[in-house]
Amino acid sequence: MSDTLTGGLTAASTLAGRGIRLSRRNLDAVITSMMLPIMLMLVFVYFFGGAIDTGTRYVTYVVPGVLVLCAGFGASGTAVSVSEDMRLGVVDRFRTLDVGGTPFLAGHVAAAVTRNALSTALVLGVAFAIGFRPAATPGGWLAAIGLLLAYITAVSWLSAAIGLVTRTAEAAGAVTFFMMFLPYPSSAFVPVETMPSWLHGFAEHQPVTPLIESMRGLLLDQPVDNSPWIALGWCAGLLALALAAAGFLFRLRTR
C-alpha cells in the first residue's frame, strides 16, 4: 500500500511538472487567463465603481470577487488540457507505464493550482497598486487563502471531469464557461440586494457567494458569521462530486 501511494504521488508530481511545462508552451492561453480578470477589475473599478454604492471603496469590495473569477478562469484550462490528452492518445501511453487515472488527473489539477497561485498573486499585486488596502489579521489571510485554495482545487477537479466527457478542446472550453460565469450573478461586483428580486434566490444560494462573502469579511477583518463553513461545504460537495465523476468517466473512456 505504501509503495502504491508513493508511486502515485511520484507520478502525479511528475505529471504536474509536465502540465506546467506545457503551459509555458501555450503562453497565449496563460496570459489570457491572467490578464482577463485584471482587465475586468480595472473596468469595474474605473468605469463603473463610481456609480455603485457598496458602503466602502469599490476596489476594496470587488477584489475578493475578482480573485474567485480568476480561479474559475485558471481552472477552466484543466478541462482543455485533459481533453487534448485524451484526444491525442497521450493517456494510453501513460497507462502502458502503469500510470493510473488518479495520478494522471491529479497532475493536471496540481498544475492548475500552481498556475492559479501565480495568477492570484498577480491580481493581488495589481489590486494593491490601484488602492486595495485589506485590514486582515495573519489568521484572516490564512483563512482567506485556504478557502480560495479549496475552491480552486474543487473546480479544477470538476474541470478535469469535464475534460474527460468532452471530445474536443473547444467543447471543453465552452462547457467550463458556466463555471467562469458563476461570479457574475453573485455578490462579486454588486450587492445581491441591488439585483432583481427573481435573481436573489440563485445569487444567495450558489457556491461562490458565501465564498466571496467569507473572503471579503476575512480580508477586511469584518464578521463573517457562518459563511466560511457554508463555502467549505460547497467546496467539499463539489470536490466529492468531481472525484466520483472523474473516476467513473476515466474508466469509461479508457476501458
Side-chain angles (χ1 to χ4, degrees), residues 117-138:
L118 295 175
S119 300
T120 299
L122 182 60
V123 170
L124 276 175
V126 174
F128 276 108
I130 63 175
F132 177 56
R133 297 295 181 268
T137 63

Side-chain angles (χ1 to χ4, degrees), residues 34-203:
M34 289 183 176
M35 295 307 298
L36 192 54
I38 292 174
M39 292 174 63
L40 286 172
M41 178 172 62
L42 296 177
V43 166
F44 273 93
V45 170
Y46 290 115
F47 290 6
F48 309 132
I52 300 175
D53 182 16
T54 61
T56 185
R57 292 188 64 198
Y58 189 67
V59 64
T60 302
Y61 179 89
V62 81
V63 166
V66 173
L67 292 176
V68 174
L69 182 68
C70 181
F73 277 114
S76 65
T78 309
V80 175
S81 58
V82 169
S83 180
E84 278 292 276
D85 276 355
M86 298 299 292
R87 183 180 68 85
L88 297 174
V90 174
V91 68
D92 294 327
R93 301 177 192 173
F94 290 144
R95 285 172 62 80
T96 63
L97 300 174
D98 199 27
V99 175
T102 299
F104 167 71
L105 296 173
H108 280 286
V109 170
V113 171
T114 302
R115 290 193 302 266
N116 256 313
L118 295 175
S119 300
T120 299
L122 182 60
V123 170
L124 276 175
V126 174
F128 276 108
I130 63 175
F132 177 56
R133 297 295 181 268
T137 63
W141 272 107
L142 288 175
I145 292 171
L147 284 172
L148 186 60
L149 182 62
Y151 177 74
I152 290 171
T153 303
V155 295
S156 294
W157 272 103
L158 186 59
S159 186
I162 292 171
L164 289 170
V165 78
T166 52
R167 300 288 177 173
T168 65
E170 292 78 10
V175 174
T176 53
F177 168 79
F178 293 101
M179 286 194 304
M180 295 185 286
F181 180 76
L182 275 179
Y184 293 99
S186 74
S187 61
F189 301 106
V190 297
V192 172
E193 296 75 20
T194 65
M195 297 179 181
S197 57
W198 56 266
L199 191 55
H200 283 186
F202 178 78

